[in-house]
Amino acid sequence: MSIKPPPSNWFQAPSGNERLWIGLALMWCLIMFVMMPFWHLRGQQNSTGEAYAISPRDFQAQVEQFVERNQVGSEGHDPIVEPPPGGDAYLLARMWSWYPILQLQAGETYRLHISSLDIQHGFSLLPMNMNFQIIPGYDHVLTITPQAPGEYTIVCNEFCGIDHHRMIGKIIVK
Amino acid sequence: MNAADITNPASPGNNPESNPYALNESSRARTCDTTKLPVCFDAQRFIRLNAVLAVVFLLVGGIAALLLALTRWQTVHLLPADWFYRILTLHGFNMLIFWILFFEVAILYFCCTSLINARLYSRKVAWVSFGMMAAGALMVNGIILAGKADVLLTSYLPLLAHPLFYLGIIFMAVGTLIGVFNFFATLFMARRHKTYEGSVPLVTFGATAAAIIAVVTLLHGAIVMIPTFTYSMGWTAQPDPMWYRMIWWGLGHMSQQVNVCAMVAVWYLVATLAVGAKPLNEAVCRSAFVLYILFINIASAHHLLVDPGVGATWKIWNTSYAMYLAVLASMIHGFTVPASVEVAMRTKGYIKGIFGWVANLPWRNPAFSAVVLSLVIFGFIGGITGVTLGTQQINIIAHNTLRIPGHFHATVVGGTTLAFMGLAYYVVPLIFRRDYIWRSAARIQPWIFAGGITLMSFGMSFAGSMGVARRTWDIDPAGAVYGPPAHVMLGLAGIGGSLAFIGLLLFVLLTVGTLLFGRNNTGRAMESWGEPRDIGDAASVARKTDKEEHKTPGTLVLVLIFLAVFAVYYFANWKALADVWPVR
Ligand code: HEM
Ligand SMILES: [Cu+2]
Ligand SMILES: [Cu+2]
């Protein structure tokens, strides 16, 4: 009875099916653990959390400089900016936009710096559905390699105020 | 009788007949007419108060839930944006915090009195706890509805709410902590004055595990909420947002482990009440509870898997401690609970084949069906998705999408909430002493709620796999990235959510209706929900079960199916991850 004190000899080793199941479950738990370090060595998709402390003001200045140096066009009010292949790219999150529009080359690897000017935002790259947290004061660096050419959408997936659902950005891959 | 008892002035001395701490000898207690357990009048009063308030908050959260489900269903899109986020905040607090915590305090008071024959340590302390919790909850709800705290459950800094919002949360946390203190004090007095023999029952042990984790959890709450409160008053500087996330999830995640512990304790309790189940091996069940206590401490890490500033090694270590022992604990309970039921049924004579016992289970008992559904939904949906989404790299394709609410509505709603609803089908007759009205509706209520939540969870999970974000009022500004399939999934989630709401409303109506109009059962056993009869002649059963007693082939098949489903889902997610852009 689980609602009565147990008999005094309650402490016994598991046996039969119960022991079998505990063994199987433990093995499965170990497999699940091993997968994570394994993927760091062999897999291509990892979140290392690489980040640097930076004030929102300084980050904004870096983004402006990046845009000035590398702008290749514009769409509406938004500059389209193409970083040097293999170089650093900057993306600013703020209520409620992503700035600027990035233009990247497929197959090249970029160091993509993302930070926020105000509150927390969520970087969600569609349609791949890749998601990273963006926090003011932290320059979050994603070392990322775009694959197929096309237009990709960034949505914000951390609640950031009344127009959160309108915080949409774009990445163009050539 | 040992030395401590003789030297202890408060001890009743060597006359065990007059132990003032033992319920069965106290005038402030009664004997339950159904279970013959002693019931402490003080505990009974506070179980009633806490349970009633819990159900009130469940209703508030439920109405909010319906509004949310009908808003995220893009075709209906009921609320305006500001009210969507306000109601979402209201929903999170009333469900996850108020409904769950008030009900858990009621469970704790039951487990530390009736089950170990002890009287509640202090009525005054219980009043203070109840008063603080109620005041805190009212403050939080008032501020949210006044539109001064549209910050959602997590209230991530630098989002800022009205100071009274944080103060309300602090009240709630401290009030709960005081209730937990009352629980421990009762346990301590019971042990010291020997109100029971040997070890505490398994259900009390599980409740104790929950209470221990609750203390650590609520301390995290204090650590994070107090500086946030002083910041909101303008007295101190803003805490670092990343620090806030880490400590907040120490509160937010660990409290989920409290819920799991309490839920598992309820599984064991209801299995005992409904079919007379008894654990095969108490040591295994108890060790599994201990694993929860030891290996959950910084599992808040799995909320920070794609955060900046915390490294991969830290993330991997703290999600798994190298062997996922908290997950192991749940997998053990997932075996021991059905196995105990299987053995109980086989002992009653239902020995046909592997699954003969399953057909003869008391499916018409709503408490029992609620617990079975809770176990299945928690394990097959909530557990499998939770461990997979909490895998360090897989989180990249899940973080902050609707996959997350799809997961936790299968744990804390389909699991914990449903188990608590099931328990209510005994609490009301046994503690409030009223038999349920409209019993045929009660018998189907768990199925409606479970069906609705399952459907909603599927809809949310698939929408999330297509990239639909959680906590988002409208997905159409994103343009064509969300095609018709995503809209269909949101529709399914909306339909499932509405169905779950009907199940929830039915539960509240039945329970409140019973409190008002149910037949009083004082002086007789509660009207039975129906129990499996003993079949077959005792002699042949005895012959059979002698050999078969500890054989649990049915349960073994079930858990093996579970493991297969788990493995398929887990590796399918690695495959999906391998298809996205390389990133590090
Ligand atoms: C009728 C039952 C329920 C329905 C239809 C329902 C529906 C929903 C919906 C539609 C959301 C919003 C998802 C989003 O857009 O991000 C949500 C969020 C949530 N629900 Fe429920 N829910 C129900 C019951 C519960 C219960 C019983 C609990 C807890 C015990 C719960 C806890 C939560 C939490 C914690 C959130 C997230 C709040 C936030 O993001 O701040 N829900 N629910
Ligand atoms: Cu945003
Ligand atoms: Cu946002």
Side-chain angles (χ1 to χ4, degrees):
Chain A
M1 281 289 170
S2 359
I3 59 173
K4 294 270 161 61
S8 55
N9 63 344
W10 62 267
F11 199 89
Q12 307 211 335
S15 60
N17 285 348
E18 198 165 23
R19 191 162 81 188
L20 174 68
W21 175 245
I22 295 173
L24 282 175
L26 181 61
M27 258 157 56
W28 174 240
C29 288
L30 288 170
I31 292 174
M32 290 195 298
F33 164 68
V34 170
M35 275 306 288
M36 294 190 286
F38 168 76
W39 200 263
H40 264 279
L41 299 175
R42 291 299 176 83
Q44 301 280 307
Q45 296 79 10
N46 287 290
S47 165
T48 55
E50 182 179 350
Y52 303 93
I54 190 162
S55 76
R57 197 181 293 277
D58 290 347
F59 189 77
Q60 189 176 22
Q62 287 184 2
V63 174
E64 290 302 349
Q65 210 175 39
F66 165 72
V67 171
E68 251 166 55
R69 288 207 189 125
N70 302 293
Q71 184 165 359
V72 292
S74 56
E75 191 181 300
H77 294 294
D78 291 322
I80 300 179
V81 185
E82 178 161 353
D88 290 85
Y90 288 82
L91 186 64
L92 180 71
R94 63 186 166 199
M95 295 152 97
W96 290 283
S97 64
W98 300 94
Y99 174 89
I101 299 173
L102 294 173
Q103 180 166 306
L104 309 175
Q105 301 289 333
E108 294 290 345
T109 299
Y110 298 87
R111 282 173 58 80
L112 175 58
H113 299 251
I114 318 177
S115 191
S116 162
L117 206 56
D118 35 57
I119 60 180
Q120 302 193 20
H121 299 279
F123 174 81
S124 178
L125 187 59
L126 301 176
M128 279 84 59
N129 196 13
M130 298 172 72
N131 306 282
F132 295 91
Q133 191 76 19
I134 307 305
I135 299 178
Y138 290 78
D139 172 7
H140 194 167
V141 184
L142 305 176
T143 306
I144 195 161
T145 317
Q147 298 294 296
E151 266 195 29
Y152 296 87
T153 305
I154 309 169
V155 306
C156 176
N157 71 4
E158 184 58 81
F159 170 68
C160 57
I162 192 74
D163 267 345
H164 156 61
H165 60 285
R166 290 222 183 82
M167 184 167 161
I168 313 290
K170 187 152 76 176
I171 293 183
I172 303 163
V173 178
K174 290 265 180 202
Chain B
M1 181 114 328
N2 58 29
D5 279 301
I6 295 158
T7 52
N8 176 1
S11 157
N14 40 20
N15 178 9
E17 299 308 314
S18 62
N19 184 345
Y21 294 90
L23 278 185
N24 56 1
E25 293 152 30
S26 162
S27 60
R28 305 186 46 76
R30 64 181 172 92
T31 302
C32 174
D33 300 309
T34 307
T35 61
K36 307 294 176 239
L37 289 173
V39 179
C40 165
F41 286 141
D42 288 341
Q44 172 172 292
R45 171 192 280 161
F46 288 100
I47 292 171
R48 288 178 177 182
L49 281 172
N50 279 284
V52 165
L53 218 49
V55 171
V56 170
F57 289 120
L58 179 67
L59 180 62
V60 175
I63 293 168
L66 180 67
L67 297 174
L68 296 176
L70 292 180
T71 305
R72 291 238 51 179
W73 184 356
Q74 289 280 141
T75 321
V76 182
H77 214 43
L78 185 66
L79 295 175
D82 53 346
W83 276 96
F84 174 75
Y85 296 115
R86 197 160 297 155
I87 293 296
L88 183 51
T89 313
L90 189 76
H91 173 68
F93 273 96
N94 282 271
M95 289 303 205
L96 194 63
I97 314 290
F98 306 155
W99 142 251
I100 294 275
L101 282 185
F102 277 101
F103 203 89
E104 277 170 357
V105 171
I107 291 177
L108 287 185
Y109 286 165
F110 171 75
C111 291
C112 70
T113 54
S114 290
L115 296 187
I116 56 173
N117 187 30
R119 70 171 174 76
L120 189 65
Y121 170 68
S122 162
R123 221 177 327 167
K124 283 205 192 88
V125 171
W127 272 121
V128 174
S129 158
F130 180 76
M132 278 193 83
M133 287 172 69
L138 289 178
M139 253 150 92
V140 170
N141 276 354
I143 291 287
I144 292 174
L145 286 172
K148 298 263 191 296
D150 298 338
V151 292
L152 309 193
L153 181 68
T154 45
S155 54
Y156 287 140
L157 286 171
L159 278 179
L160 198 60
H162 192 279
L164 280 181
F165 171 77
Y166 303 108
L167 199 62
I169 300 174
I170 294 172
F171 264 59
M172 185 75 202
V174 174
T176 311
L177 210 49
I178 292 173
V180 173
F181 165 80
N182 213 359
F183 169 83
F184 282 120
T186 306
L187 282 191
F188 177 77
M189 296 306 264
R191 165 142 299 238
R192 182 153 163 197
H193 299 287
K194 296 195 182 306
T195 62
Y196 60 98
E197 302 263 324
S199 315
V200 297
L202 179 60
V203 171
T204 306
F205 192 85
T208 309
I212 292 172
I213 304 173
V215 171
V216 186
T217 301
L218 294 165
L219 290 179
H220 279 81
I223 294 173
V224 70
M225 279 304 150
I226 290 169
T228 308
F229 168 68
T230 55
Y231 166 60
S232 73
M233 294 295 295
W235 298 337
T236 51
Q238 184 201 303
D240 180 79
M242 196 56 227
W243 175 87
Y244 178 97
R245 284 173 71 81
M246 192 175 296
I247 311 295
W248 195 92
W249 281 113
L251 165 76
H253 184 77
M254 257 187 269
S255 56
Q256 300 323 304
Q257 214 63 25
V258 179
N259 300 342
V260 171
C261 263
M263 171 187 73
V264 173
V266 169
W267 289 351
Y268 283 115
L269 177 56
V270 171
T272 300
L273 293 173
V275 293
K278 99 187 207 313
L280 306 192
N281 184 326
E282 292 253 359
V284 169
C285 304
R286 284 164 201 251
S287 311
F289 278 118
V290 173
L291 290 181
Y292 282 143
I293 304 175
L294 295 182
F295 292 98
I296 201 59
N297 43 351
I298 324 185
S300 67
H302 70 218
H303 295 263
L304 315 180
L305 292 179
V306 294
D307 275 22
V310 270
T313 314
W314 185 90
K315 289 169 179 175
I316 291 180
W317 173 251
N318 286 303
T319 34
S320 64
Y321 297 110
M323 46 216 303
Y324 280 114
L325 288 178
V327 175
L328 179 69
S330 290
M331 289 175 78
I332 291 177
H333 291 304
F335 177 92
T336 56
V337 173
S340 69
V341 171
E342 179 171 1
V343 168
M345 292 298 284
R346 285 183 187 277
T347 311
K348 285 185 203 296
Y350 300 94
I351 46 180
K352 243 190 242 135
I354 297 184
F355 288 123
W357 55 281
V358 173
N360 293 294
L361 287 169
W363 293 111
R364 284 162 53 75
N365 176 346
F368 183 79
S369 58
V371 159
V372 173
L373 291 166
S374 160
L375 201 147
V376 170
I377 296 176
F378 180 85
F380 277 85
I381 309 178
I384 290 179
T385 57
V387 179
T388 306
L389 305 184
T391 302
Q392 203 239 324
Q393 294 93 339
I394 292 175
N395 193 249
I396 293 173
I397 55 171
H399 178 70
N400 271 0
T401 68
L402 267 182
R403 294 183 78 181
I404 306 300
H407 146 71
F408 68 68
H409 281 86
T411 53
V412 79
V413 190
T416 308
T417 297
L418 189 51
F420 288 2
M421 286 175 170
L423 184 60
Y425 290 117
Y426 281 107
V427 169
V428 173
L430 297 180
I431 302 287
F432 291 83
R433 311 179 90 174
R434 287 182 185 273
D435 279 326
Y436 260 91
I437 56 169
W438 205 14
R439 299 169 75 81
S440 50
R443 294 187 201 281
I444 56 167
Q445 185 275 332
W447 300 90
I448 299 176
F449 188 71
I453 281 299
T454 305
L455 187 59
M456 182 172 89
S457 175
F458 269 94
M460 284 178 162
S461 297
F462 282 106
S465 306
M466 301 169 192
V468 178
R470 68 183 288 197
R471 299 178 154 179
T472 298
W473 173 64
D474 187 2
I475 64 167
D476 287 334
V481 283
Y482 301 123
H487 286 80
V488 170
M489 286 305 157
L490 289 176
L492 275 188
I495 294 168
S498 309
L499 190 61
F501 172 75
I502 293 171
L504 184 152
L505 188 66
L506 188 55
F507 170 78
V508 174
L509 290 179
L510 281 166
T511 302
V512 174
T514 302
L515 295 186
L516 297 176
F517 308 115
R519 230 162 13 107
N520 193 308
N521 62 18
T522 305
R524 61 178 171 83
M526 70 178 267
E527 202 175 319
S528 165
W529 287 111
E531 278 142 25
R533 289 170 301 118
D534 272 330
I535 56 165
D537 63 300
S540 84
V541 168
R543 240 189 352 268
K544 274 276 197 191
T545 50
D546 252 2
K547 293 201 302 284
E548 303 224 347
E549 196 184 8
H550 285 293
K551 290 235 172 92
T552 50
T555 305
L556 188 64
V557 171
L558 289 176
V559 294
L560 290 177
I561 294 173
F562 169 80
L563 192 57
V565 175
F566 199 161
V568 167
Y569 184 82
Y570 181 74
F571 285 112
N573 273 277
W574 281 108
K575 172 72 182 77
L577 176 71
D579 290 341
V580 307
W581 291 1
V583 63
R584 77 189 120 81

